[in-house]
Amino acid sequence: MKPRFLLGAALIAVPLLLALGGPLLAGPAGPRAVSFTPGQGHWLGTDFTGRDVWRQVLLGGRPVVLVALAATALTYAVALPVGLAAALTRRTWLEEVLMRPLDVLIAVPSLVLVLICAAALSPGPVGLSALVALVAVPDAARTVHAGAVEVAARPAVEAMRMSGESWARIALGYTVRSLRRTLAADAGTRLVGALYLVSTAAFLGVGVQPDASDWAVMVDRNRPGLDLQPLAVLVPAALIAALATGTNLLLDAALQRGRRGARR
C-alpha cells in the first residue's frame, strides 16, 4: 500500500470511529465539576462549565459527519441532473435558464449566503444539511456541466441520439460513466467543503444550538478559556482537520490507482 493511502486511512479512522461509536460509549452525564487537569474520572478534564471534555468528544462527531455526508449527497442530487440537463440539451435557452442563476449564487460569498439563509431556517441537522447543500450546488453543477459539455461533443453521443437512445441512457449510462473520475475527485472536494461549512456554521452558532454536543461548537464554546483548558479546543479541532485531510488523501490515492489502471 502507498504511504498516501496509509496516512489517509490513519487520519480518517480515529474521527470516524469516534463519530460512529462515540455516542454508544459516552454513557450518562455525571455531575459537573470544574477540573481543567485530566484525571479524577475525566480523561481530558472538564471545560469551564464543568462538562466532561472526553464525553463531549464522543458525542460531538456524529452530527458533524452525518450533516457533511447528507449535505454532499443532497448537493449531487441537485447538481448532477441540472449540470447534465444543461450540457446535453440542444436548446440554448434552456442551458441559459439552468446555468445563469447559478452564476449569481456563486458571486455571493458562501458565508454570507449561510448567514442570510440561516435566518429562515430553524436549528437542526436537516436545515443545516440543506443550507450547506444550497451553498455547494452552484459550483458542483458548473463542474458537472463543464465535464459533460466535452462528453456531449463526442461522436458516440451523436450516434446514440441518432439510434434513438433515451436521454437517461445517454446521461447516466454514458456521460456519468465518462466523468466518474472527475466526479470522484470533485466529491472529495465537496465533502471537505461541507465539513468546513458545517464546522464554520456551528462555530458561528448558525443552524445548531449553542449548547449542542458538536465538535465545532466545542471549539467556539471553549475558545475563551483556551489558556485554561486547551484540550477542549485542540482535540475537536484536530479531529475535524484529520477527517478533512484524510478524506482528501484517500481520494487522491484512489484516483492515482485508477489512472495507473487505465494506462495498462
Side-chain angles (χ1 to χ4, degrees), residues 108-181:
V108 181
S110 58
L111 285 180
V112 174
L113 192 60
V114 166
L115 293 173
I116 292 174
C117 296
L121 295 174
S122 59
V126 175
L128 187 55
S129 298
L131 181 60
V132 173
L134 176 65
V135 172
V137 161
D139 195 45
R142 286 180 61 85
T143 300
V144 173
H145 175 261
V149 164
E150 186 274 328
V151 176
R154 296 177 184 175
V157 173
E158 188 63 29
M160 293 177 73
R161 283 172 171 159
M162 294 179 65
S163 65
E165 294 287 356
S166 65
W167 184 90
R169 184 169 176 81
I170 295 173
L172 303 178
Y174 182 77
T175 306
V176 172
R177 286 187 62 188
S178 300
L179 295 175
R180 61 186 183 276
R181 290 193 181 91

Side-chain angles (χ1 to χ4, degrees), residues 207-229:
V208 294
Q209 298 291 349
D211 60 344
S213 296
D214 182 290
W215 286 344
V217 174
M218 286 182 66
V219 174
D220 178 50
R221 187 169 58 225
N222 295 289
R223 180 170 46 89
L226 180 62
D227 54 338
L228 296 175
Q229 173 50 296

